[in-house]
Each structure stands twice: as structure tokens, then as C-alpha cells.
Amino acid sequence: MFGIGFSELILIFVVALLVLGPKRLPEVAKTLGRFYREIRSTVDEVKEVVVEEPKPKHQHHQYIPPQINEEIELEEEKKEEMKEKLKGEKITFKKNQENEINESGNKES
């Protein structure tokens, strides 16, 4: 514990007993114990956070030429257009399915 041997611990206890007296020593010991527990729990919480959250790796910012940026933007636009087109086709497909179900239901009647 803190690199303190048993003999040094006894010496600290005797000095504390002489300075504080037998009446205040238990109160001070309780207070120090509570303080130590609070510090220890805070240190444990910080350790958990540090262990759980990995350190970010060094990110190197690379230069991207403007031509490449333009190509990336065009590809993103094409991607969005395809999403919209597929969304419209999905709606049309669902409507066609509903119509087929309604027609087959009408034929069975």
C-alpha cells in the first residue's frame, strides 16, 4: 500500500494519535476512509472509460485533386437518382401487385 511498510504505518498511527487525540482519531479515520473510497471509485470509472473507448488512430488528411472530388460528387448524384428511380419502381410494382390481387379476387367471385 503506497510503498509503506508495517513499521512506517505504526509510526504514522502513533503520530496521528498524538496530534489528533483518541477522541478525534476514529472520526478522522472514517473521513479519510470515505475520501479514499471516493477517489478509488472515480479512478476506476476513469479507467473503464479509457479502456472502453479506444484511442483514435492518427488520421492523415490526404489531398484529393478537384477532378476526383467532382467525380465523387457526380457518382453521389447518380446514386441518389437511382435511389429515387428505384423508389418509384417499387411503388409501381406494389400498385401492380395490389391490382392483380384485386382482379384475381373479382374473378373468383
Side-chain angles (χ1 to χ4, degrees), residues 28 61 64 75 104 108:
V28 172
H61 297 286
I64 301 175
E75 289 298 320
S104 65
E108 290 178 6

Side-chain angles (χ1 to χ4, degrees), residues 41-81:
S41 67
T42 304
V43 168
D44 290 342
E45 289 175 11
V46 169
K47 281 183 182 178
E48 287 178 18
V49 169
V50 169
V51 170
E52 288 177 4
E53 297 178 11
K55 294 178 182 177
K57 295 182 180 178
H58 297 292
Q59 297 178 354
H60 299 288
H61 297 286
Q62 297 178 349
Y63 171 73
I64 301 175
Q67 299 161 337
I68 303 293
N69 273 338
E70 290 174 7
E71 289 179 20
I72 291 172
E73 289 175 7
L74 286 174
E75 289 298 320
E76 289 293 323
E77 288 174 11
K78 287 180 186 177
K79 183 177 163 183
E80 291 300 318
E81 289 173 8

